[in-house]
Amino acid sequence: MSEITLVTAYFDINRKNWSGFERDSNKYINYFKFWAKIKNRLIIFTQAQFYEELYNIRKSFGLEKQTQIVIINNPIDCNKNLYMKMKKVMQNELAINFHFYKETKRPEVWRTDYNYITCLKFYLVYKAVNDFNLKNTVAWIDFGFNHGGNDGLINTEEFSFLWNYNFSPKIHLFSYKKIDIDRPIFDIVRSLDVYIRGNIMIAPSHLWPIFYQLTNDAMLSLLRCGFCDDDQTIELMAYKEKPELFEIHDIDFWYEGLSKFSNQKFTIKQQEIPKNKVYADYRYKFRIFFNSGNYQLAWKYLKKYLKYKIRDSSI
């Protein structure tokens, strides 16, 4: 079994004031504390004001020697040029109004710092690999992973284990739904749709620099077209550029990137298995073509949507 080095990060971007998406630093730190018993080597990037608390959390579990905390007080300095490009694009009213579901006020539409921080994770793992000369399997794990038990893994004590797993020498991503390889990226950005779950990513150390370059190029390409989005669309673009480097795992729940790919037994909150999501794309295409007056294509996708909807209703 190959032991996995974990990388995570937390930066305060004042999310406590985001209407409908409020999470303050205390909530995020409690999310972290829920899974921080994991015995793997853990590299944390954060701001100075969180150093002592995060260190003490790991120390309370006897894991201070397995923990490195790297201070980055201003994460914008990691790639200020990229941040400014993202900010310029996201201030354009045409770009804002391009989104099909702009009324939801999702942060991907209006928060430059959100998109920037979510996409910074690729750079941070690349930096960890270089700065700590990592030679093993390396995984990104979101600081707020499992949301304190709300995402399904409900027993914090069960995180007290050493995560190792024999992953193939590929970049491992975990899907939200089956990837539609022919669907253009602009349509995914417009609909705010999700294909890849960004909370866990795994790869051998030598592939992380390549993954970082692919994601950085993807974001720049998107920005040149006047669009911006968060990490999940950028991961999809990287996969579409070099699919031979990737292995995509279809999973039903956010936590399964960890629970299905380890030997640890977790207590899982009973949840309904998600219905097949393919018909959501058909419904979306029906609406687009109907609203544009292309009724022949609208009827085509309405029939596809009803077929899958009726099938799932009978499960």
Side-chain angles (χ1 to χ4, degrees):
M1 290 289 183
S2 175
E3 185 176 332
I4 300 167
T5 295
L6 304 181
V7 181
T8 193
Y10 178 67
F11 302 105
D12 184 8
I13 53 176
N14 205 29
R15 187 165 176 166
K16 65 182 178 181
N17 295 322
W18 299 5
S19 178
F21 297 90
E22 302 92 338
R23 291 177 192 162
D24 62 16
S25 294
N26 288 332
K27 179 169 284 190
Y28 268 106
I29 289 170
N30 285 329
Y31 288 165
F32 170 69
K33 190 173 183 179
F34 194 89
W35 65 265
K37 297 179 179 68
I38 199 162
K39 296 180 179 180
N40 298 65
R41 181 181 184 182
L42 177 63
I43 299 169
I44 307 169
F45 293 91
T46 194
Q47 292 152 313
Q49 64 263 38
F50 303 114
Y51 178 96
E52 185 175 1
E53 187 168 10
L54 300 186
Y55 176 81
N56 286 335
I57 287 172
R58 289 284 281 178
K59 184 178 180 181
S60 71
F61 303 136
L63 296 169
E64 67 273 20
K65 292 182 179 179
Q66 287 291 92
T67 307
Q68 283 84 36
I69 301 178
V70 181
I71 299 302
I72 300 177
N73 281 319
N74 185 5
I76 293 173
D77 290 340
C78 293
N79 197 336
K80 190 170 184 179
N81 181 56
L82 181 66
Y83 176 82
M84 296 308 296
K85 288 179 183 293
M86 295 170 72
K87 184 175 182 179
K88 183 177 180 180
V89 164
M90 294 188 68
Q91 287 177 338
N92 189 314
E93 291 185 1
L94 289 172
I96 294 171
N97 291 319
F98 174 78
H99 292 280
F100 193 69
Y101 296 119
K102 61 183 181 297
E103 69 275 8
T104 64
K105 300 296 183 181
R106 279 168 52 174
E108 300 97 309
V109 176
W110 60 284
R111 293 294 308 205
T112 303
D113 49 3
Y114 175 82
N115 283 345
Y116 175 77
I117 289 296
T118 62
C119 290
L120 194 62
K121 61 181 67 173
F122 312 111
Y123 165 77
L124 294 176
V125 183
Y126 162 73
K127 178 176 172 60
V129 167
N130 280 349
D131 291 357
F132 293 94
N133 195 28
L134 303 179
K135 300 296 184 183
N136 59 330
T137 301
V138 183
W140 169 269
I141 182 168
D142 275 0
F143 192 78
F145 175 77
N146 195 48
H147 291 163
N150 292 324
D151 280 352
L153 305 181
I154 61 177
N155 187 346
T156 183
E157 298 302 324
E158 292 169 352
F159 282 90
S160 183
F161 79 106
L162 182 66
W163 184 18
N164 47 46
Y165 193 84
N166 285 333
F167 285 99
S168 66
K170 300 266 189 174
I171 300 168
H172 294 262
L173 302 179
F174 302 90
S175 67
Y176 182 78
K177 62 182 177 182
K178 185 175 177 59
I179 294 172
D180 182 352
I181 198 68
D182 296 322
R183 187 179 179 192
I185 291 298
F186 79 82
D187 195 54
I188 295 169
V189 172
R190 172 169 56 175
S191 66
L192 299 177
D193 212 346
V194 174
Y195 285 92
I196 304 292
R197 303 176 190 265
N199 62 336
I200 289 181
M201 302 175 288
I202 302 160
S205 56
H206 71 273
L207 285 181
W208 274 104
I210 298 172
F211 190 25
Y212 165 59
Q213 189 62 56
L214 285 170
T215 56
N216 191 64
D217 290 348
M219 177 56 84
L220 289 172
S221 295
L222 202 61
L223 293 170
R224 291 186 191 105
C225 296
F227 302 134
C228 191
D229 210 336
D230 65 12
D231 57 310
Q232 294 167 148
T233 295
I234 299 305
E235 289 173 55
L236 177 63
M237 293 176 69
Y239 164 72
K240 293 179 75 169
E241 181 67 22
K242 291 281 187 181
E244 67 275 11
L245 296 179
F246 291 82
E247 190 170 333
I248 306 295
H249 303 277
D250 295 325
I251 59 175
D252 291 321
F253 300 105
W254 287 92
Y255 59 79
E256 289 183 325
L258 175 64
S259 66
K260 276 195 169 183
F261 297 87
S262 71
N263 294 320
Q264 177 69 345
K265 302 300 182 184
F266 288 97
T267 304
I268 298 172
K269 178 172 61 177
Q270 290 297 315
Q271 301 178 76
E272 183 182 355
I273 296 177
K275 301 290 189 182
N276 189 321
K277 300 184 184 69
V278 68
Y279 59 75
D281 285 336
Y282 294 144
R283 180 180 59 188
Y284 169 70
K285 289 174 182 177
F286 160 71
R287 293 172 66 183
I288 290 294
F289 290 122
F290 183 84
N291 290 337
S292 66
N294 192 332
Y295 301 118
Q296 183 176 358
L297 279 176
W299 174 239
K300 171 185 173 182
Y301 285 107
L302 178 60
K303 288 191 293 185
K304 287 177 175 288
Y305 164 70
L306 292 173
K307 173 185 174 182
Y308 281 95
K309 186 70 171 176
I310 293 169
R311 186 199 68 179
D312 280 354
S313 297
S314 65
I315 295 175

